[in-house]
């Protein structure tokens, strides 16, 4: 295995949780993938590593046994999103996935594939999709995900561009969901009436604020 000094140091000190935040991993990806095939890692942080599509695909294809995956700030799109969907489908222990600050809104087919993978997961309870350029056209995939009633308890959709039509689809989907306890929608251009409608469906008996 040949990897950079900093990556080698983090791998040596890893005890279940491996935080690789901010490392430029593209040139080390083969060595890292080889290590992660056998190293027991349950909590993996790849925040702000700017993985290129080939590196992301290679890494996601070898990962398993994760409970938490943080891939924020990697500009993920295209085939790397398909590989991430494949990881979700095979990883039955994954309960939290953080995908903030990527480009999922720029690959509609792959985003739909990702939503389908999350829908079929029986373990994921927290999904973070903040700042992913998701628009009206992604509302249907999100609505189908919500209506399928997977075990998700927290869904963060803040700071996208879902808009009124996507918001209305989410309202209808929430009526068929019995698991979501937290749905964050601030910064999506939704009217107060629409936000109130979603809040009422989620919390019909109380006035719990929803951002």
């Amino acid at each position: 295995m040949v990897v950079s000094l900093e990556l080698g140091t983090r791998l040596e000190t890893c005890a279940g949780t491996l935080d690789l935040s901010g490392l430029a991993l593209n040139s080390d990806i083969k060595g890292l993938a080889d290590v992660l095939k056998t190293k027991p890692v349950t909590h993996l942080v790849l925040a702000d590593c700017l993985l290129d599509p080939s590196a992301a695909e290679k890494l996601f294809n070898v990962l398993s046994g994760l409970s938490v995956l943080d891939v924020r700030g990697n500009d993920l799109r295209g085939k790397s999103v398909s590989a991430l969907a494949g990881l979700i489908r095979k990883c039955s222990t994954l309960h939290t996935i953080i995908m903030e600050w990527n480009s999922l809104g720029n690959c509609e087919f792959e985003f739909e594939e990702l939503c389908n993978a999350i829908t079929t997961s029986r373990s994921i309870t927290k999904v973070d999709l903040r700042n992913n350029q998701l628009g009206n056209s992604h509302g249907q995939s999100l609505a189908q995900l919500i209506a399928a009633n997977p075990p998700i308890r927290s869904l963060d959709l803040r700071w996208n561009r879902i808009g009124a039509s996507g918001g209305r689809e989410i309202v209808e989907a929430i009526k068929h969901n019995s698991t979501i306890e937290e749905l964050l929608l601030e910064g999506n251009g939704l009217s107060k009436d629409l936000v109130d409608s979603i809040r009422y469906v989620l919390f019909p008996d109380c006035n719990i604020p929803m951002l």
Side-chain angles (χ1 to χ4, degrees):
M1 177 192 71
V2 179
V3 296
S4 68
L5 179 61
E6 177 64 22
L7 176 55
T9 300
R10 296 199 195 186
L11 287 170
E12 287 176 7
T13 57
C14 164
T17 296
L18 178 58
D19 188 348
L20 303 178
S21 300
L23 293 187
L25 297 175
N26 290 324
S27 61
D28 284 326
I29 209 67
K30 184 180 184 304
L32 177 59
D34 287 343
V35 172
L36 292 179
K37 286 178 183 177
T38 57
K39 195 173 187 65
V41 174
T42 57
H43 187 149
L44 179 61
V45 182
L46 298 167
D48 301 315
C49 292
L50 292 177
L51 295 170
D52 65 39
S54 178
E57 184 179 23
K58 184 173 293 186
L59 192 55
F60 295 156
N61 284 341
V62 302
L63 292 174
S64 64
L66 295 175
S67 58
V68 178
L69 176 62
D70 183 344
V71 292
R72 76 184 77 189
N74 278 287
D75 195 31
L76 296 180
R77 63 181 75 201
K79 66 179 184 179
S80 58
V81 179
S82 292
L84 181 57
L87 169 60
I88 291 170
R89 282 192 294 268
K90 72 180 181 182
C91 193
S92 61
T93 55
L94 186 65
H95 62 70
T96 298
I97 182 162
I98 301 168
M99 297 173 282
E100 180 189 4
W101 283 114
N102 283 289
S103 297
L104 305 183
N106 292 329
C107 51
E108 292 204 19
F109 175 79
E110 291 85 359
F111 180 71
E112 183 178 355
E113 186 180 2
L114 178 70
C115 287
N116 289 339
I118 296 171
T119 296
T120 60
S121 170
R122 303 290 33 161
S123 60
I124 294 178
T125 58
K126 180 177 181 179
V127 177
D128 186 342
L129 288 165
R130 284 175 290 171
N131 291 288
N132 265 288
Q133 304 170 54
L134 302 177
N136 279 314
S137 62
H138 302 96
Q140 184 175 2
S141 293
L142 290 167
Q144 289 173 347
L145 166 61
I146 292 168
N149 207 38
I152 296 171
R153 293 197 297 270
S154 174
L155 178 59
D156 195 340
L157 298 172
R158 286 177 291 176
W159 308 113
N160 285 291
R161 300 189 294 268
I162 292 172
S165 63
R168 285 191 290 271
E169 291 193 72
I170 288 174
V171 170
E172 291 305 309
I174 283 292
K175 294 176 183 178
H176 304 282
N177 184 284
S178 61
T179 58
I180 289 180
E181 300 170 355
E182 179 181 60
L183 177 60
L184 303 176
L185 286 160
E186 183 181 7
N188 275 286
L190 304 184
S191 68
K192 181 180 183 300
D193 287 345
L194 199 51
V195 172
D196 286 346
S197 295
I198 295 171
R199 180 173 54 200
Y200 177 76
V201 175
L202 281 174
F203 311 112
D205 299 322
C206 54
N207 295 315
I208 297 176
M210 180 183 66
L211 298 179

